[in-house]
C-alpha cells in the first residue's frame, strides 16, 4: 500500500531539509578551501540544472533584465556559501548552523525596508530573542568568534538574496532562477579567485573530495532545490517554512553523529541555541495565527 500524496510530499520535504542540513557535514569533510569548494559546488549545480532542463525539454531563455537580476543575485548566493563554509572551517558545524538561524532576524529587518512596510511587533520581539541567543553564544564560545561573525554575515547574505528572490519568483519560475543564480555565483566566485591568484594547485580536490563535491552540487543543491519547489504544489508555504526551520537542528544532530566530541559545546552555547531555535519556530506560528485572526 503506497503512501498518500500529502504524506509523501511531507516526507519528501523533510528529507530535503535533512539534505540541506547535511551540507555543513560535507563542507567540513571537503579538504579544499571554502572559496574553491563553492566554485566547484555552483559549477556542478549549474551544470546539473542545465542537464535537467535539457532532459525535460524545458525552455530556459530569459529576458535581458531578468538575466541581469539573476546574475547579480547569484553573487550574493556565492558570497553566502563562501562565508558559510569558511565559518565551518574556522569553527564547527554546530556554531555555523546556529548562527545561520539568524536569517529570520535579518529578514525581519531587511524585508520591511525592501517592501516599504512597517515592521511588526512580532518581528521585533523575535529579533530581540535571537539577539539574546547570539549574545550568549558570543559570551561562552569566545574561541570561535571569527566563525560566529562569518556565520552571521552568511545569514545576512542569505536574508538579502532570499528577500530579492521573494520578488523575482513572482514573475519567474524558481528552477530557472536557481539555474541562472548558480551560473552567476560561479562567474563571480571565478572572478574573485582570478583576481586573488587562487587558481593554483591548492584548488585540486582529492579523490575523496570529488565524491563529496558531486554529492554537494547535485543532491544537496540542484536536486534538493527542485524537490522543495515541487512539494510546494501540495504543501502550503507556511508548512514549508516551518519545516525549513529544522535545517540547523538536523545539521547539528548529524554533526554530532559524524564528528562526536569535536562538536561538543558549552552549556552557554546550548542555552543560546535553544533561545534562537524557540524564536525561529515561534515566529512563523505567531505570524500564521495573526494572519488568520486578521
Amino acid at each position: 500500500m503506497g503512501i498518500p500524496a500529502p504524506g509523501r510530499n511531507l516526507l519528501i520535504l523533510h528529507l530535503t531539509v535533512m539534505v540541506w542540513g547535511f551540507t555543513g557535514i560535507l563542507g567540513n569533510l571537503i579538504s579544499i578551501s571554502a572559496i574553491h569548494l563553492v566554485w566547484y559546488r555552483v559549477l556542478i549545480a549549474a551544470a546539473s540544472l542545465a542537464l535537467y532542463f535539457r532532459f525535460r525539454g524545458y525552455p530556459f531563455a530569459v529576458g535581458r533584465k531578468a538575466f541581469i537580476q539573476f546574475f547579480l543575485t547569484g553573487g550574493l548566493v556565492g558570497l553566502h556559501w563562501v562565508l558559510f563554509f569558511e565559518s565551518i572551517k574556522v569553527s564547527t558545524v554546530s556554531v555555523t548552523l546556529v548562527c545561520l538561524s539568524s536569517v529570520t532576524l535579518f529578514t525581519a529587518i531587511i524585508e520591511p525596508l525592501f517592501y516599504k512596510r512597517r515592521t511588526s511587533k512580532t518581528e521585533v520581539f523575535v529579533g530581540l530573542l535571537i539577539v539574546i541567543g547570539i549574545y550568549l553564544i558570543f559570551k561562552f564560545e569566545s574561541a570561535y568568534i571569527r566563525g560566529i561573525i562569518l556565520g552571521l554575515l552568511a545569514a545576512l547574505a542569505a536574508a538579502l538574496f532570499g528577500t530579492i528572490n521573494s520578488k523575482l519568483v513572482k514573475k519567474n519560475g524558481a528552477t530557472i532562477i536557481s539555474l541562472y543564480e548558480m551560473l552567476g555565483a560561479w562567474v563571480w566566485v571565478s572572478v574573485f579567485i582570478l583576481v586573488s591568484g587562487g587558481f593554483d594547485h591548492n584548488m585540486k580536490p582529492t579523490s575523496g573530495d570529488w565524491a563529496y563535491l558531486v554529492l554537494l552540487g547535485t543532491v544537496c543543491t540542484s536536486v534538493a532545490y527542485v524537490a522543495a519547489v515541487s512539494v510546494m504544489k501540495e504543501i502550503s508555504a507556511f508548512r514549508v517554512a516551518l519545516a525549513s526551520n529544522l535545517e540547523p537542528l538536523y545539521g547539528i544532530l548529524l554533526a554530532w553523529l559524524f564528528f562526536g566530541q569535536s562538536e561538543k559545546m558549552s552549556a552557554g552555547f546550548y542555552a543560546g541555541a535553544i533561545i534562537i531555535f524557540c524564536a525561529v519556530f515561534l515566529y512563523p506560528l505567531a505570524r500564521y495565527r495573526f494572519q488568520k485572526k486578521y
Side-chain angles (χ1 to χ4, degrees):
M1 188 174 180
I3 302 174
R8 185 172 62 251
N9 283 319
L10 195 59
L11 177 62
I12 291 171
L13 174 61
H14 279 279
L15 287 173
T16 301
V17 175
M18 284 188 71
V19 166
W20 286 337
F22 194 64
T23 59
I25 308 300
L26 292 173
N28 203 28
L29 290 171
I30 296 170
S31 63
I32 56 177
S33 69
I35 189 75
H36 293 141
L37 186 160
V38 173
W39 187 83
Y40 283 109
R41 178 184 187 176
V42 292
L43 175 61
I44 293 168
S48 59
L49 282 167
L51 287 173
Y52 169 78
F53 274 94
R54 185 68 181 266
F55 178 74
R56 298 299 294 266
Y58 295 152
F60 53 86
V62 295
R64 182 180 178 184
K65 181 180 178 181
F67 175 81
I68 293 171
Q69 289 173 329
F70 301 156
F71 188 80
L72 293 176
T73 307
L76 282 173
V77 176
L79 176 63
H80 159 71
W81 278 336
V82 170
L83 292 167
F84 173 76
F85 288 117
E86 184 64 20
S87 174
I88 288 173
K89 290 184 180 295
V90 300
S91 58
T92 70
V93 176
S94 298
V95 166
T96 302
L97 288 172
V98 170
C99 290
L100 197 63
S101 299
S102 63
V103 168
T104 303
L105 168 63
F106 290 122
T107 303
I109 297 169
I110 293 167
E111 199 174 44
L113 298 173
F114 201 82
Y115 285 96
K116 296 180 180 178
R117 64 171 176 81
R118 296 173 68 180
T119 304
S120 73
K121 293 179 181 178
T122 303
E123 290 172 345
V124 172
F125 178 69
V126 169
L128 288 173
L129 285 178
I130 292 174
V131 168
I132 292 170
I134 292 170
Y135 169 76
L136 285 173
I137 293 173
F138 260 106
K139 184 176 180 180
F140 290 95
E141 296 297 338
S142 57
Y144 298 125
I145 294 253
R146 187 182 170 202
I148 293 168
I149 292 172
L150 290 170
L152 292 173
L153 289 173
L156 175 59
L160 283 168
F161 77 72
T163 304
I164 293 169
N165 279 343
S166 69
K167 273 202 166 185
L168 294 178
V169 79
K170 292 176 181 177
K171 296 182 179 179
N172 307 273
T175 315
I176 198 78
I177 291 173
S178 181
L179 170 63
Y180 283 105
E181 286 186 353
M182 293 303 103
L183 181 62
W186 179 75
V187 172
W188 285 111
V189 172
S190 296
V191 169
F192 178 82
I193 295 175
L194 183 65
V195 170
S196 62
F199 280 111
D200 54 28
H201 67 281
N202 291 320
M203 73 179 296
K204 185 179 179 181
T206 65
S207 56
D209 285 342
W210 273 118
Y212 294 140
L213 284 166
V214 171
L215 183 62
L216 180 64
T218 55
V219 177
C220 295
T221 308
S222 53
V223 173
Y225 196 91
V226 171
V229 172
S230 67
V231 299
M232 289 189 75
K233 294 177 182 177
E234 302 291 338
I235 300 176
S236 69
F238 168 73
R239 293 187 74 179
V240 171
L242 198 60
S244 297
N245 289 333
L246 287 167
E247 181 189 344
L249 189 57
Y250 284 145
I252 289 171
L253 291 174
L254 287 167
W256 283 341
L257 182 64
F258 276 80
F259 306 120
Q261 288 297 313
S262 65
E263 290 293 324
K264 190 175 181 180
M265 299 291 153
S266 66
F269 170 85
Y270 292 116
I274 289 169
I275 291 172
I276 292 172
F277 285 144
C278 286
V280 168
F281 274 103
L282 288 173
Y283 172 67
L285 287 169
R287 189 174 181 178
Y288 181 67
R289 291 190 68 178
F290 180 83
Q291 287 174 344
K292 283 191 72 176
K293 187 175 180 180
Y294 296 98

